[in-house]
Amino acid sequence: MGKSSKPAYSSGVVTVNGQEKASQYKNGNTVYSNYNMSDAEKNIYDYAQNSFLENLPKINVFSEDTQKNMQNQLNSYTQKGLETINDIYTPMLDDLKTDIASRFGNFDNSIFMNNLNDIESNRADAMNSLTQDILAKQDELINNELSRRYNYLDFLNGVQNQTNSNILSYLQQAASNSNSGNSYNNSQSSSGSGLGDYARLAASIASTLFSRW
């Protein structure tokens, strides 16, 4: 009984719009895989990688401008809270004074002092509540800034991972074509370039990515 002959190794190729994207070939006893990254893909990948490297060391470091911006927002929030409290309690004090003056002609009486103490006590409680709100607002501003930064790094990391995933997919196709024993060109539409995946990835993160720093 004769031995079956082993098929000769044949290189595998994947093309997109007539351009070779991935290939696998054998040189001696070594099998090589190659991916041809387009200029656009390279620019996207390099930008994501360089931006990630640039921003990672300062992820938790706030610049002077960032601190000033947050302080301005906090000051505005505080001022608005004080104005709200004054709008509530100043008219109450004015009405109390008018009422007491019209009824007794002076403020030196227990009714006025009791009502005044009640109003001042309520205003003190409102001021204490505002103080707690200001502290919570400060935490919110810091957490929001950190969240934007983390989301941006996640986005950059996602771009790199998507590129690697596209490359691996093409190389696997080239390997499959090679292992079949046939030299094969897999022509695909331009959507196979993976740029559509980048667009979908960007859209999914854009809702939470408001600004860069």
Side-chain angles (χ1 to χ4, degrees), residues 141-152:
L141 292 172
I142 293 174
N143 290 334
N144 286 346
E145 178 64 23
L146 290 174
S147 179
R148 285 192 288 268
R149 296 181 177 199
Y150 295 148
N151 285 339
Y152 184 57

Side-chain angles (χ1 to χ4, degrees), residues 70 73-74 137-145 148:
M70 289 193 294
Q73 294 183 64
L74 195 63
K137 184 65 174 179
Q138 183 181 45
D139 289 340
E140 177 187 332
L141 292 172
I142 293 174
N143 290 334
N144 286 346
E145 178 64 23
R148 285 192 288 268

Side-chain angles (χ1 to χ4, degrees), residues 157-189:
N157 187 54
V159 170
Q160 295 180 74
N161 289 339
Q162 184 62 61
T163 300
N164 292 332
S165 178
N166 292 340
I167 292 174
L168 180 60
S169 178
Y170 280 122
L171 292 178
Q172 288 174 337
Q173 181 63 57
S176 176
N177 296 342
S178 172
N179 292 336
S180 68
N182 297 312
S183 181
Y184 179 69
N185 288 342
N186 182 16
S187 296
Q188 302 181 28
S189 66

Side-chain angles (χ1 to χ4, degrees), residues 92-140:
M92 294 175 63
L93 288 171
D94 292 340
D95 290 344
L96 174 63
K97 291 178 181 179
T98 300
D99 178 61
I100 295 299
S102 64
R103 292 168 59 187
F104 303 101
N106 62 74
F107 304 131
D108 188 18
N109 60 78
S110 60
I111 295 177
F112 173 74
M113 295 305 300
N114 289 338
N115 290 341
L116 178 63
N117 288 336
D118 287 342
I119 293 174
E120 291 296 349
S121 176
N122 290 335
R123 180 157 66 174
D125 289 341
M127 290 296 295
N128 181 64
S129 178
L130 176 61
T131 300
Q132 300 303 314
D133 290 344
I134 291 172
L135 294 175
K137 184 65 174 179
Q138 183 181 45
D139 289 340
E140 177 187 332

Side-chain angles (χ1 to χ4, degrees), residues 4-137:
S4 60
S5 59
K6 185 178 180 180
Y9 183 90
S10 180
S11 61
V13 177
V14 177
T15 65
V16 176
N17 288 340
Q19 296 184 349
E20 183 178 303
K21 292 298 296 180
S23 63
Q24 187 175 79
Y25 61 94
K26 186 176 183 180
N27 187 359
N29 293 324
T30 303
V31 176
Y32 296 89
S33 297
N34 180 64
Y35 179 81
N36 295 320
M37 184 177 285
S38 69
D39 290 341
E41 289 175 307
K42 185 178 187 305
N43 289 337
I44 291 172
Y45 186 80
D46 288 346
Y47 175 84
Q49 194 170 55
N50 292 333
S51 295
F52 191 95
L53 178 62
E54 176 187 352
N55 289 291
L56 184 61
K58 57 183 182 182
I59 184 67
N60 293 322
V61 179
F62 292 166
S63 67
E64 183 177 345
D65 288 341
T66 299
Q67 294 182 55
K68 184 180 296 184
N69 178 58
M70 289 193 294
Q71 186 61 54
N72 289 339
Q73 294 183 64
L74 195 63
N75 291 343
S76 177
Y77 182 85
T78 301
Q79 184 61 34
K80 185 175 180 179
L82 291 174
E83 290 175 355
T84 299
I85 291 175
N86 288 332
D87 288 344
I88 293 174
Y89 290 99
T90 298
M92 294 175 63
L93 288 171
D94 292 340
D95 290 344
L96 174 63
K97 291 178 181 179
T98 300
D99 178 61
I100 295 299
S102 64
R103 292 168 59 187
F104 303 101
N106 62 74
F107 304 131
D108 188 18
N109 60 78
S110 60
I111 295 177
F112 173 74
M113 295 305 300
N114 289 338
N115 290 341
L116 178 63
N117 288 336
D118 287 342
I119 293 174
E120 291 296 349
S121 176
N122 290 335
R123 180 157 66 174
D125 289 341
M127 290 296 295
N128 181 64
S129 178
L130 176 61
T131 300
Q132 300 303 314
D133 290 344
I134 291 172
L135 294 175
K137 184 65 174 179

